[in-house]
Amino acid sequence: MFKNRIFGYIITTLILAGCSGTSDHGPENDWFGEYDLLSTNTPINMYGTLSDGYGLPTSDTGHNMAVLLPLSGDNAPVGKTIRTSVEAAILQSGAKNLNVSFYDTTENLDETIKTVLAGNPEIIIGPVFSNNARIVRDKKPENLPVISFTSDANSVGDGVMTMALMPTNGIETIVREMHSDNIQKFIIMAPDTDSGHLMAGTAIRAAEISEIEPVGIFFYNEKDTDSIKNTALSASLNNARTAAHTRARQVLSDILTNESLTGIEKSRMNMQLEKLSKTETVGNVPYQAILFLGNGEDTKTMASFLRYYNVGTNDAKFYGTTMWDGSDIASDLTMSGAKYATLSDINPEFNTLYEKISGVLPGRLATFGYDATNMAIGMMYSDKSNVAYLLDPSGYIGTDGLFRLKPTGDNERALRIVKLNGSGTPTELKSAPTSFATPLYNIEQRHIEPADAMELETPGIDPDNHIQIPERLRSKYNSKTIGANITESKNFQRSQIIAFLPEDDSAPIKSENFKPIKLESVNRSYIDEYEIEE
């Protein structure tokens, strides 16, 4: 176990109290009951101007906060990033009589948690990873609030909340944008992981809400060039389009060689052959858009292979999610025109503060840590109950924009839509919402079923549709459609039923054709893990 007090400039600022810091908010065993009584109003701006401090009242009562982070081992850089932001928030807040202890989650977490709980903290910041969050949730008192950084919806609840961006928010936001762009059919590209299958399931659900049809779901191995290449090959219909191209050229050549043609007909045949010699495929892909659910690096690799197989942004629009954050995809000229959902720009004053302390600009984990700490401090020094403060449905405006925590433990974050232009700085198309007065999302992550791969649904490529030959020769040179794959529609088709009511409306309506339909039960599963890259 690793434990230490805040050091350096923090020690000179805080008055470390030795008291237990027992919350005077009273017991709260039901995180839902009080939440249902709260109303949605104007969001609370957590900072205003950061240099003004948090504006907390001076308290004669000591307060106790524990912080659980990976402070050693391979994940130490993650812990260091969040620790820096925690210390910055405490310094900036000017909170008095605050006792803060840091604990390492790398080894023997069970014993570490016993030590943490023995100190009777009012709130815990952390941990970062889903398995650690589950352990803390199982061992802590239910009324003890925890603000973690896991994006696993199955690891929160019972007082464990998370600041991490939930994947459902980004997916639902970008699918809604696809609907605004009048996309009707699209395919999904996702990593072949548990979270990848569940993100694809989220996209399916979002598509149902927006009435867009997914016609193919493709999974690939992350950071595996061969897997990504093969996936792009399948999604591009390259083999069928190439075979159709070959067949079209063969038909034209055979006609020129074997048939008696007029001068005009020969000229037209030769012109078509010349045009086909400049391409390698014929026919279009049977979708208007591609939704990439992987990170920026894998997406760039996939897009490169798709273009090699003659599917570029002119053939299908590219869309992505917050998974593109942290990559250099915005500098890739070949991705120009692609859209994705992302958080608002980081508060510039926090950028300056964090860089001054650490020497580097902050990533999203740093902003999450800063906001989480200020949430924790605000709760301890507030006259409100823990539920009323932490779960205020009006939400808070933090360093990444509008967000709110939910009694289920997950959160909602307002996202904006940006468009890549190759400059390194995306163009903002739609700013993030500034209020929860109108609900932003319909999908809860814990209610998503994982999606399986789905072969591309396509009518195939008919070579004859891409050449013009004399009508008298069509039956002789008829070609077969190549690459057709039509599966039974998965969309529920509501049949039209005409009912004739009896003249006496007191009489029961009977029909020998009526048969009750047994409803299928719905199998639910949960997201496992969603990584954030610094």
Side-chain angles (χ1 to χ4, degrees):
M1 181 192 73
F2 175 94
K3 172 185 175 182
N4 60 5
R5 301 295 185 186
I6 297 177
F7 55 89
Y9 61 84
I10 299 293
I11 284 182
T12 63
T13 305
L14 304 179
I15 300 175
L16 297 180
C19 59
S20 64
T22 301
S23 173
D24 55 4
H25 297 192
E28 296 174 298
N29 295 319
D30 185 356
W31 289 90
F32 289 86
E34 185 178 351
Y35 178 81
D36 292 337
L37 302 177
L38 302 175
S39 58
T40 303
N41 299 300
T42 303
I44 301 167
N45 192 327
M46 295 181 68
Y47 308 110
T49 301
L50 293 182
S51 57
D52 293 338
Y54 200 69
L56 295 173
T58 301
S59 174
D60 294 329
T61 303
H63 294 281
N64 189 13
M65 179 171 71
V67 184
L68 290 167
L69 297 172
L71 299 174
S72 62
D74 294 340
N75 294 311
V78 173
K80 180 181 178 181
T81 293
I82 299 176
R83 176 170 183 155
T84 300
S85 63
V86 170
E87 293 173 343
I90 295 169
L91 172 66
Q92 200 73 22
S93 72
K96 304 299 182 182
N97 299 327
L98 176 61
N99 178 34
V100 182
S101 299
F102 286 87
Y103 299 84
D104 191 2
T105 60
T106 305
E107 295 181 1
N108 204 357
L109 185 58
D110 288 343
E111 289 300 318
T112 301
I113 293 173
K114 288 180 182 179
T115 305
V116 170
L117 296 179
N120 197 21
E122 292 174 70
I123 190 168
I124 296 174
I125 300 295
V128 176
F129 302 111
S130 58
N131 58 330
N132 292 344
R134 284 192 290 271
I135 293 173
V136 172
R137 182 186 60 188
D138 294 342
K139 291 184 176 295
K140 76 173 186 69
E142 185 176 355
N143 64 316
L144 175 62
V146 175
I147 303 181
S148 71
F149 303 100
T150 175
S151 57
D152 179 1
N154 199 32
S155 298
V156 296
D158 294 334
V160 177
M161 291 150 281
T162 183
M163 295 293 288
L165 176 66
M166 310 307 289
T168 50
N169 289 182
I171 294 171
E172 190 169 353
T173 299
I174 196 62
V175 171
R176 191 183 301 128
E177 177 66 13
M178 291 167 61
H179 178 265
S180 298
D181 289 342
N182 296 316
I183 299 299
Q184 297 177 344
K185 295 179 183 292
F186 74 105
I187 62 171
I188 297 169
M189 300 283 205
D192 193 8
T193 61
D194 289 341
S195 59
H197 283 261
L198 284 160
M199 285 191 289
T202 300
I204 295 297
R205 181 71 188 100
E208 291 173 354
I209 294 172
S210 294
E211 298 183 334
I212 305 175
E213 183 183 0
V215 295
I217 304 176
F218 300 86
F219 293 100
Y220 59 87
N221 298 328
E222 294 179 300
K223 301 179 181 179
D224 185 332
T225 302
D226 288 338
S227 175
I228 293 173
K229 178 181 179 181
N230 291 333
T231 303
L233 177 62
S234 298
S236 67
L237 272 182
N238 184 75
N239 289 342
R241 297 166 73 203
T242 300
H245 178 271
T246 300
R247 172 59 183 169
R249 293 189 65 184
Q250 178 186 358
V251 169
L252 293 174
S253 297
D254 287 351
I255 290 175
L256 283 167
T257 302
N258 301 321
E259 303 295 338
S260 176
L261 302 173
T262 65
I264 294 178
E265 288 174 338
K266 286 183 179 180
S267 176
R268 289 174 177 173
M269 298 296 103
N270 282 312
M271 288 177 61
Q272 292 181 69
L273 268 177
E274 177 67 20
K275 184 177 180 180
L276 286 175
S277 68
K278 299 176 181 179
T279 63
E280 296 178 351
T281 62
V282 295
N284 300 318
V285 290
Y287 47 83
Q288 301 159 295
I290 302 174
L291 176 58
F292 297 92
L293 298 180
N295 62 38
E297 293 306 315
D298 283 346
T299 295
K300 287 197 303 179
T301 303
M302 181 72 74
S304 177
F305 281 120
L306 285 169
R307 286 189 295 273
Y308 177 76
Y309 293 128
N310 296 298
V311 179
T313 52
N314 292 329
D315 304 288
K317 294 182 178 180
F318 290 178
Y319 295 88
T321 71
T322 51
M323 288 289 288
W324 289 3
D325 283 340
S327 72
D328 62 352
I329 196 169
S331 301
D332 190 333
L333 286 171
T334 60
M335 290 295 294
S336 293
K339 295 182 180 181
Y340 75 104
T342 184
L343 291 162
S344 298
D345 286 334
I346 296 174
N347 183 304
E349 289 191 59
F350 177 70
N351 266 337
T352 301
L353 173 65
Y354 190 91
E355 186 178 22
K356 186 175 182 180
I357 295 171
S358 67
V360 296
L361 289 172
R364 296 300 182 179
L365 277 177
T367 62
F368 295 165
Y370 189 80
D371 287 348
T373 305
N374 279 311
M375 289 280 288
I377 296 172
M379 182 209 78
M380 290 186 289
Y381 286 81
S382 172
D383 293 331
K384 295 180 180 180
S385 69
N386 293 351
V387 171
Y389 190 92
L390 295 175
L391 303 184
D392 190 327
S394 302
Y396 291 85
I397 298 176
T399 52
D400 298 294
L402 178 68
F403 73 96
R404 66 180 175 185
L405 305 180
K406 300 173 66 178
T408 52
D410 52 4
N411 65 65
E412 293 181 342
R413 289 186 174 273
L415 302 175
R416 58 182 179 147
I417 299 294
V418 298
K419 186 176 183 178
L420 302 183
N421 53 35
S423 69
T425 303
T427 302
E428 182 174 284
L429 299 180
K430 294 182 180 178
S431 59
T434 57
S435 166
F436 288 107
T438 300
L440 302 185
Y441 302 108
N442 298 294
I443 299 174
E444 286 195 4
Q445 193 158 306
R446 67 193 63 248
H447 294 158
I448 296 300
E449 297 180 14
D452 294 325
M454 183 175 80
E455 288 189 53
L456 183 62
E457 294 189 9
T458 170
I461 310 297
D462 186 347
D464 293 346
N465 291 337
H466 302 279
I467 55 176
Q468 294 181 346
I469 64 177
E471 189 65 32
R472 68 181 186 280
L473 301 175
R474 284 199 172 275
S475 59
K476 183 177 180 181
Y477 292 92
N478 184 46
S479 303
K480 293 182 179 180
T481 298
I482 302 172
N485 178 38
I486 303 298
T487 59
E488 184 178 352
S489 175
K490 294 171 291 299
N491 297 326
F492 177 76
Q493 301 295 328
R494 187 183 301 276
S495 59
Q496 185 176 12
I497 300 175
I498 302 176
F500 294 92
L501 300 181
E503 294 183 4
D504 180 3
D505 60 9
S506 64
I509 303 174
K510 298 181 179 179
S511 172
E512 60 182 9
N513 295 322
F514 174 77
K515 294 180 180 179
I517 299 175
K518 182 179 179 181
L519 298 178
E520 295 181 356
S521 61
V522 179
N523 181 26
R524 303 294 189 186
S525 57
Y526 307 105
I527 195 83
D528 288 329
E529 186 175 355
Y530 185 73
E531 297 179 357
I532 299 176
E533 295 185 3
E534 273 295 296

